[in-house]
Amino acid sequence: LPEVAGPEVISPATRPAEASARADIVVTCTPARSPILGPDDVSPGQFIAAVGADSEGKHELDVRLLAKARVVTDLTAQSARMGDLQHAIAAGLMTAEDVHAEIGQILSGARPGRSDEHEIFIYDSTGTALQDVAAAALVFERAREEGTGRVLDLEGGANP
């Protein structure tokens, strides 16, 4: 990994657009009911993981941003009902068929990921328990293989 040091690595921003302007990867995880990022707030090649819009009415990304980006969902039908995608569909700027892929299709190789380095890529994640459990199991197994972490007894104590 490249060496990273200095105060410029992590610094506070006063507005989401300011933070986005300094990042290659943006993760939104808010209870917002109106967009916090629009099409002018992102740069070519940025990846945005929008994980806060996980119920009807929540809204983190401007519909024009979704319409100009390559959108990937965890489950498209669910994102169309309660993710940021719901708002782009309601505005008539997208349909569920405009979604590039579901994350499982990209991970399995059934659909391609990024097609060029300038493409804005949005992952509209509404949350799926099965995917969360699968990811947690993978992390647990990898930690066990590498001998890292601690196993906790959820009934009261920690195991060495």
Side-chain angles (χ1 to χ4, degrees), residues 83-114:
D84 273 302
L85 180 60
Q86 71 179 301
H87 304 290
I89 291 172
L93 295 178
M94 290 184 73
T95 67
E97 291 75 32
D98 292 324
V99 170
H100 170 66
E102 291 183 349
I103 191 69
Q105 294 173 304
I106 290 179
L107 294 174
S108 70
R111 298 280 296 149
R114 185 180 295 277

Side-chain angles (χ1 to χ4, degrees), residues 86-148:
Q86 71 179 301
H87 304 290
I89 291 172
L93 295 178
M94 290 184 73
T95 67
E97 291 75 32
D98 292 324
V99 170
H100 170 66
E102 291 183 349
I103 191 69
Q105 294 173 304
I106 290 179
L107 294 174
S108 70
R111 298 280 296 149
R114 185 180 295 277
S115 62
D116 73 60
E117 65 187 45
H118 302 292
E119 183 175 48
I120 297 169
F121 217 88
I122 295 174
Y123 178 47
D124 186 14
S125 175
T126 52
T128 62
L130 181 59
Q131 289 176 356
D132 293 346
V133 169
L138 180 63
V139 168
F140 177 78
E141 288 303 321
R142 181 113 357 115
R144 182 186 289 178
E145 289 168 8
E146 295 177 10
T148 60

Side-chain angles (χ1 to χ4, degrees), residues 22-70:
R22 296 187 265 159
D24 294 326
I25 298 171
V26 176
V27 178
T28 59
C29 188
T30 74
R33 295 211 170 257
S34 60
I36 61 169
L37 286 178
D40 296 333
D41 300 328
V42 300
S43 304
Q46 253 178 341
F47 172 81
I48 301 166
V51 301
D54 59 0
S55 64
E56 290 182 25
K58 286 189 172 181
H59 193 179
E60 293 184 315
L61 304 181
D62 186 292
V63 295
R64 296 166 299 156
L65 175 54
L66 270 86
K68 85 176 209 177
R70 182 166 284 203

